[in-house]
Each structure stands twice: as C-alpha cells, then as structure tokens.
Amino acid sequence: MALRHKSAQKRHRQSLKRRMVNRSRKSTIKTYTKKALETITAGADTSAADIAAAQSKAESLIDKAAKGSTIHKNTAARKKSRLARAIYKAKAAQLA
C-alpha cells in the first residue's frame, strides 16, 4: 500500500524516527541492567557504592523510558523489581 497523502507520509516518517529512538532506549536499558548485574557478580573488589550506583543508573533509565511511554509503567516496575531481586540474591550468595 503506497502512502498517497502527505499527512500519511509524515506520520510514517515520524513513526520510523520514534521506532529508532525507542529501540535505542530499550537497548540502553538492557545494557545498564546487565552492567548492574555484572557489578555484583564481579566479586569482592566492588564496593556497595558501585553496586548502588549501577542499580540507580539502570532504574533511572527504566523510569525515563516509562515516563516517555517507550515502555509501559507496569513493565518498568517489573524490570526494576526483577533487577532489585537479582541484586539482592547475588549479595546473599556472596555473603553465604
């Protein structure tokens, strides 16, 4: 189906731009979530401040994506909860 109307062409261009921005944000969230998990699993050489900073950065990106409706707010809450739970589990495993 060819886009014949100017308004349809513009909306299509806009949707492609939004798609690229949204994909970039989602990718960044995944990257920083993995970095936060790697920080805790790196071993005893990482401080609690480093772990908290990594978790804070990941949660901040998740919140910003939810605020801009890149992801749904419930999805953001679920991602943050899973991240916190994984970090808590990793800390407990290190102490045991």
Side-chain angles (χ1 to χ4, degrees), residues 15-32:
S15 71
L16 294 178
K17 287 180 187 176
R18 294 307 318 156
R19 179 172 173 260
M20 294 308 295
V21 170
N22 290 340
R23 284 182 68 183
S24 174
R25 284 187 184 153
K26 286 181 184 181
S27 176
T28 304
I29 287 171
K30 289 176 191 173
T31 300
Y32 277 91

Side-chain angles (χ1 to χ4, degrees), residues 2-14:
L3 299 173
R4 292 194 168 92
H5 299 284
K6 276 189 174 181
S7 59
Q9 292 170 354
K10 181 177 179 180
R11 289 299 293 172
H12 184 64
R13 286 193 310 269
Q14 288 175 331

Side-chain angles (χ1 to χ4, degrees), residues 5-6 10 16 19 21 26 29 35 46-47 53 56 65 68 70-71 73 80 84 86 89-90 94:
H5 299 284
K6 276 189 174 181
K10 181 177 179 180
L16 294 178
R19 179 172 173 260
V21 170
K26 286 181 184 181
I29 287 171
K35 283 184 182 180
T46 56
S47 66
S56 176
T70 298
I71 59 175
K73 64 178 185 171
K80 286 169 52 177
K89 268 181 145 176
Q94 279 185 346

Side-chain angles (χ1 to χ4, degrees), residues 80-92:
K80 286 169 52 177
S81 176
R82 287 179 180 173
L83 175 63
R85 189 173 58 202
I87 288 175
Y88 179 79
K89 268 181 145 176
K91 279 183 186 176

